[in-house]
Amino acid sequence: MDNNGFKSIVYVFQLKHHFIKLKGITEGGEGLIRKNKRGTKYIEKNGVIIAKECTKCNEILNLTNYVKATSRFAGVASSCKQCSKEYFSDYYKDNKEKVLAQTKKYYSEHREEVIIRTNDYRKENPEVNKRACAKWYSQNKSVVAKYKRTWRTENLEACKLRETKWRLNNKNKVVLKSQRRRALKKQLPNNFTNEQHESLLAYFEHKCPLTGSIDIHIDHFIPLAIGHGGTTLKNMVPLDATLNICKHAQNPFEWFKQNHNIYKVEQKKFEGVVLYLAELNEMTPQEYEKYVYWCFENPQEIIT
């Protein structure tokens, strides 16, 4: 029934002794249900109160179901957490302005204390805090958006400096965002994520698979310019910056035939790249080559 292992409860009232014996407590032990001076029932075991009656729902619950209140009986509130939640929820609906005014006044008088207590709670309960923040954000998106617009307008220079610094420290993310946007404008697949980008670089050891250079661009094997491919993992490969500029929007197979001697690129390395992309697209290398040629023979009108 609760955290202390209550499995079943059988009440046997014995009025002349003003207490009720509770059978079936934790592995065959026994506890006593007594009444205090105000008539509130509670369970005592080995001289320690382990549960008490909620004054609202009249259920006898383990003390963990109550908010701590050292000045109250058994050191907890008179009503359980669930009943208190329902009560305060109804009270807030009927007295919203009053509650807000009281909260604001209390905060202004105890600001430092509230901040310290709140920060301590967040550190001790990160998951609870995370869920609460996510829930609040989902319910107040328009408020957040308005605040951001206002703050940006009032702090334009600070925003520009922060964005510039972020771009300098996250060049790969900036480029990737631009590539996704280019594909989106042309109504092509644009689901290449930052995680996939890192995975792709790790697979090729942060080098160009054709030359071994570390000065690389993330290339669209099938160029966006012909209206096929897109910014997606199945169409991306790290390529030497010089080779990528030279390749531009050409058919990669035709480009390789014309330039592999100039740049001293081995046939087997190019075939390795083709095999990698073919497997991602669930094709054989021969089928993938035919597909690439088909894309160039059937370019789609670019929509911008």
Side-chain angles (χ1 to χ4, degrees):
M1 179 178 174
D2 55 38
N3 294 334
N4 278 333
F6 286 88
K7 297 177 181 178
S8 63
I9 296 179
V10 179
Y11 298 118
V12 181
F13 291 88
Q14 299 181 1
L15 298 178
K16 69 175 183 177
H17 295 293
H18 300 289
F19 70 88
I20 309 163
K21 181 174 285 189
L22 180 69
K23 295 183 178 179
I25 297 180
T26 61
E27 301 181 358
E30 291 187 350
L32 297 177
I33 294 186
R34 299 181 180 277
K35 287 184 180 180
N36 65 9
K37 293 180 180 179
R38 293 188 177 184
T40 301
K41 299 171 187 175
Y42 64 93
I43 298 177
E44 185 179 72
K45 189 174 183 180
N46 299 326
V48 178
I49 297 176
I50 59 174
K52 67 176 285 293
E53 179 185 20
C54 171
T55 56
K56 292 191 177 296
C57 65
N58 298 319
E59 292 286 337
I60 298 181
L61 303 171
N62 185 274
L63 295 187
T64 56
N65 291 287
Y66 297 84
V67 175
K68 290 182 180 180
T70 54
S71 62
R72 300 291 183 87
F73 176 67
V76 296
S78 58
S79 57
C80 66
K81 291 179 181 178
Q82 185 60 36
C83 290
S84 296
K85 182 179 179 181
E86 293 172 359
Y87 170 78
F88 286 114
S89 178
D90 293 339
Y91 181 84
Y92 179 79
K93 291 177 183 178
D94 297 336
N95 303 273
K96 186 176 180 179
E97 295 300 324
K98 181 180 179 181
V99 172
L100 291 176
Q102 291 175 339
T103 302
K104 188 174 181 180
K105 180 181 178 182
Y106 179 87
Y107 180 80
S108 63
E109 294 175 352
H110 305 82
R111 185 174 183 275
E112 295 300 325
E113 179 186 341
V114 172
I115 290 175
I116 293 173
R117 188 167 63 238
T118 301
N119 289 338
D120 289 343
Y121 178 83
R122 288 174 177 173
K123 290 177 182 178
E124 295 171 1
N125 302 274
E127 291 302 320
V128 175
N129 181 58
K130 186 177 180 180
R131 289 196 298 270
C133 289
K135 181 179 179 181
W136 185 89
Y137 178 79
S138 65
Q139 296 173 347
N140 296 274
K141 289 183 178 179
S142 59
V143 175
V144 174
K146 183 179 179 180
Y147 172 80
K148 287 183 176 179
R149 287 195 299 269
T150 302
W151 192 90
R152 182 178 177 82
T153 302
E154 296 173 351
N155 301 272
L156 192 57
E157 290 302 318
C159 286
K160 288 181 177 179
L161 288 172
R162 186 173 62 182
E163 290 171 2
T164 300
K165 183 178 180 180
W166 186 88
R167 287 174 177 273
L168 290 173
N169 294 331
N170 298 272
K171 292 181 180 179
N172 288 337
K173 291 183 179 180
V174 173
V175 171
L176 182 56
K177 182 178 179 180
S178 175
Q179 289 175 329
R180 285 198 297 260
R181 182 171 177 78
R182 285 169 57 202
L184 177 64
K185 289 173 69 175
K186 296 171 183 178
Q187 296 188 0
L188 295 173
N190 54 89
N191 57 0
F192 189 46
T193 66
N194 292 324
E195 291 74 19
Q196 289 175 334
H197 174 264
E198 293 301 322
S199 176
L200 175 67
L201 291 176
Y203 181 85
F204 288 103
E205 299 179 343
H206 293 259
K207 298 177 183 178
C208 170
L210 302 183
T211 66
S213 171
I214 60 173
D215 181 17
I216 55 177
H217 291 171
I218 302 301
D219 175 54
H220 295 87
F221 195 77
I222 301 174
L224 296 179
I226 64 169
H228 291 284
T231 302
T232 178
L233 180 62
K234 296 179 180 181
N235 190 41
M236 310 301 288
V237 64
L239 195 61
D240 184 299
T242 302
L243 298 187
N244 187 42
I245 293 171
C246 175
K247 173 180 170 287
H248 192 49
Q250 298 180 60
N251 182 321
F253 291 95
E254 292 297 321
W255 168 82
F256 178 76
K257 290 176 183 177
Q258 297 170 11
N259 294 276
H260 74 281
N261 287 328
I262 298 174
Y263 293 103
K264 298 180 181 180
V265 178
E266 297 178 16
Q267 177 76 29
K268 66 178 182 180
K269 290 185 177 181
F270 181 75
E271 290 174 352
V273 172
V274 174
L275 176 62
Y276 165 78
L277 292 170
E279 289 178 346
L280 284 180
N281 286 276
E282 300 180 347
M283 301 179 185
T284 65
Q286 294 76 22
E287 290 172 337
Y288 185 66
E289 182 177 356
K290 288 182 180 179
Y291 170 69
V292 173
Y293 272 95
W294 179 88
C295 290
F296 278 85
E297 291 166 1
N298 299 273
Q300 294 186 9
E301 181 182 354
I302 303 303
I303 303 173
T304 58

